[in-house]
Amino acid sequence: MAKFGLSPLLVLSILLLIMSGGAVRGQREMVPAMFIFGDSLIDNGNNNNLPSFAKANYYPYGIDFNGGPTGRFSNGYTMVDEIAELLGLPLIPAYTEASGNQVLHGVNYASAAAGILDATGRNFVGRIPFDQQLRNFENTLNQITGNLGADYMATALARCIFFVGMGSNDYLNNYLMPNYPTRNQYNGQQYADLLVQTYSQQLTRLYNLGARKFVIAGLGEMGCIPSILAQSTTGTCSEEVNLLVQPFNENVKTMLGNFNNNLPGARFIFADSSRMFQDILLNARSYGFAVVNRGCCGIGRNRGQITCLPFQTPCPNRRQYVFWDAFHPTEAVNILMGRMAFNGNPNFVYPINIRQLAEL
C-alpha cells in the first residue's frame, strides 16, 4: 500500500498548487490533478506486485514506452496517459508506487481484471475491484486532508478530473466466462441493470468524497477484439457480444443524465468508446491502420487465442495495428481515443468534451 508522508514543505507546495490553479510547472496545467479508476485498459502498474495472472510488467509490453515495461497493457501510452499530457499534467503515477509529492497531480488506481462487481476477474486471482479502488482513494484523501484541512481539499478536488472506465471485465471475465453463474441468473438487460445500479452507488460515493468533474468511459466494440474474433469461424466481429454490452452503455448514459440533473455542482461527461472504435475501424486506412482484425502480439487465430507472452516478438509495424494483444489497443489507438475524448465533438464525447470540462 502506498504511503504518503507529507513534509511541511510538501504541504506548502500543495497549497501553492491549489491556489495557483495548478500552474506550477513550465506548461499550463488545466486542472490541479487527475484521479483514475478502471481496468487493464488504463492500469499502469497496480497489479505488478499482486499474486495475479493479470500483469504486463514484462517485455514486449512497453516496447515503445520511455522506460520500457511498467505494467501498462500496451506497447506504449494508454488513453489516460494521452489525456494527462493534453491537460498539461505529468503522467499520473500508479497508487502502489506513488509517494510524497508524486501524488500532487493525481493517482491512478486502475487494476487489470477489475470490475464493478467484486467477483469479476477472480480467474486471474489478484486484482483491485472498483470498491477497493475507492477505498484506496479514500486512503490517499485521508493522508493529504490531514495536512491541508477539509476546506482546501474540497476546493482542490472540485477542480480535478476524475476519469472512470469500468465494466469490460464484468462481461469478458464474468458474464461470458463459463465458470461464472451470472449468465444463467440474468439476461443481458437484467445484467446491465445490476451493473449500472452498483456503478451508480460507487460513483455517488466518489461524488460524496468531493469529486465534481467526471469523465466516464463507455464500453468499446468488445465483439471486435482479437480474443473474441478468434472464437468465430468467420473471423468477423461478434454481433452477439456487441449487442450484449449495448444496454450497459445505454444505462450509463441515462445514469449520467440523472447525475447531472440531481447532484449539485457535478458535471458528468460520457466518452463514447464504442462510437470512437467504430469510427477507427470504419476509417482505419485514413487513420493509418492496415491491420484491424488481429493482435500485434499474441498466438493462434487472429493472434488472439493466447495473449502476448513474455519476450514474444511483436509485429514490427505497430503503428499500423489497431490491436496490441488479444484484448487491448495499440498506443496509436489509445492516443487517438485520448484526443477524441479531449477535443472531440458530441459524436464521441458529450454533453461536452474533456477540454471544455477542464475549463469550467
Side-chain angles (χ1 to χ4, degrees):
M1 187 176 286
K3 295 290 176 206
F4 313 111
L6 298 182
S7 67
L9 188 63
L10 179 54
V11 173
L12 181 64
S13 65
I14 296 174
L15 287 171
L16 286 170
L17 182 77
I18 295 164
M19 292 187 292
S20 66
V24 168
R25 299 180 311 134
Q27 66 187 112
R28 178 176 168 251
E29 294 169 358
M30 298 180 71
V31 294
M34 177 164 66
F35 295 94
I36 299 157
F37 305 83
D39 52 34
S40 58
L41 289 167
I42 49 181
D43 183 356
N44 63 344
N46 284 310
N47 282 19
N48 289 355
N49 297 315
L50 288 181
S52 176
F53 295 114
K55 293 189 188 192
N57 56 340
Y58 56 82
Y59 180 88
Y61 287 94
I63 187 172
D64 299 312
F65 189 83
N66 185 12
T70 55
R72 287 169 169 82
F73 286 74
S74 169
N75 55 308
Y77 266 24
T78 65
M79 182 179 177
V80 290
D81 289 330
E82 178 65 12
I83 291 167
E85 211 164 79
L86 291 167
L87 287 167
L89 298 170
L91 297 187
I92 310 300
Y95 172 72
T96 52
E97 292 160 15
S99 61
N101 64 355
Q102 285 180 307
V103 307
L104 279 183
H105 293 98
V107 179
N108 184 336
Y109 302 90
S111 166
I116 292 167
L117 304 178
D118 282 355
T120 288
R122 66 166 174 243
N123 290 355
F124 290 94
V125 191
R127 75 271 180 223
I128 309 165
F130 191 23
D131 277 335
Q132 183 59 48
Q133 292 182 33
L134 291 172
R135 287 192 285 273
N136 291 345
F137 172 63
E138 281 189 77
N139 182 50
T140 304
L141 222 48
N142 291 337
Q143 304 269 359
I144 302 174
T145 308
N147 291 274
L148 286 183
D151 288 349
Y152 271 117
M153 205 59 215
T155 305
L157 282 178
R159 297 186 54 246
C160 297
I161 297 285
F162 286 78
F163 187 102
V164 187
M166 300 291 310
S168 297
N169 289 312
D170 294 291
Y171 287 94
L172 289 174
N173 292 303
N174 186 326
Y175 196 81
L176 292 170
M177 276 285 160
N179 66 326
Y180 273 81
T182 19
R183 204 169 186 169
N184 298 322
Q185 294 169 330
Y186 308 97
N187 65 31
Q189 184 63 58
Q190 290 167 335
Y191 190 60
D193 292 347
L194 168 75
L195 288 179
V196 176
Q197 193 181 346
T198 310
Y199 205 16
S200 174
Q201 292 163 356
Q202 292 162 329
L203 292 171
T204 302
R205 186 169 157 205
L206 206 45
Y207 170 83
N208 289 334
L209 289 168
R212 292 295 178 269
K213 295 183 177 187
F214 293 83
V215 181
I216 310 297
L219 299 185
E221 293 290 277
M222 282 162 47
C224 299
I225 64 174
S227 166
I228 299 290
L229 290 177
Q231 298 169 37
S232 152
T233 47
T234 58
T236 54
C237 295
S238 165
E239 201 52 37
E240 185 191 356
V241 172
N242 283 339
L243 287 173
L244 174 67
V245 302
Q246 255 180 18
F248 176 86
N249 282 339
E250 292 308 316
N251 283 9
V252 167
K253 286 185 245 183
T254 303
M255 170 186 73
L256 300 186
N258 291 337
F259 281 157
N260 281 329
N261 290 330
N262 298 315
L263 294 180
R267 288 305 295 264
F268 285 79
I269 68 172
F270 182 70
D272 198 330
S273 305
S274 180
R275 283 249 188 104
M276 292 179 198
F277 229 87
Q278 284 170 5
D279 183 68
I280 289 167
L281 293 176
L282 203 60
N283 304 295
R285 201 165 290 277
S286 62
Y287 283 122
F289 298 113
V291 186
V292 301
N293 62 350
R294 65 179 185 271
C296 166
C297 185
I299 293 173
R301 198 185 298 133
N302 302 89
R303 295 210 194 120
Q305 287 176 293
I306 298 173
T307 199
C308 194
L309 295 171
F311 299 101
Q312 191 181 340
T313 304
C315 65
N317 51 336
R318 294 178 284 280
R319 178 63 192 79
Q320 293 175 24
Y321 274 68
V322 167
F323 293 100
W324 161 247
D325 63 11
F327 302 97
H328 307 98
T330 53
E331 174 183 69
V333 168
N334 284 330
I335 287 173
L336 202 50
M337 290 179 72
R339 289 175 184 169
M340 284 172 160
F342 188 81
N343 285 314
N345 65 44
N347 280 334
F348 303 124
V349 55
Y350 44 84
I352 55 176
N353 59 36
I354 295 176
R355 182 179 51 76
Q356 292 164 323
L357 180 68
E359 288 170 346
L360 286 179

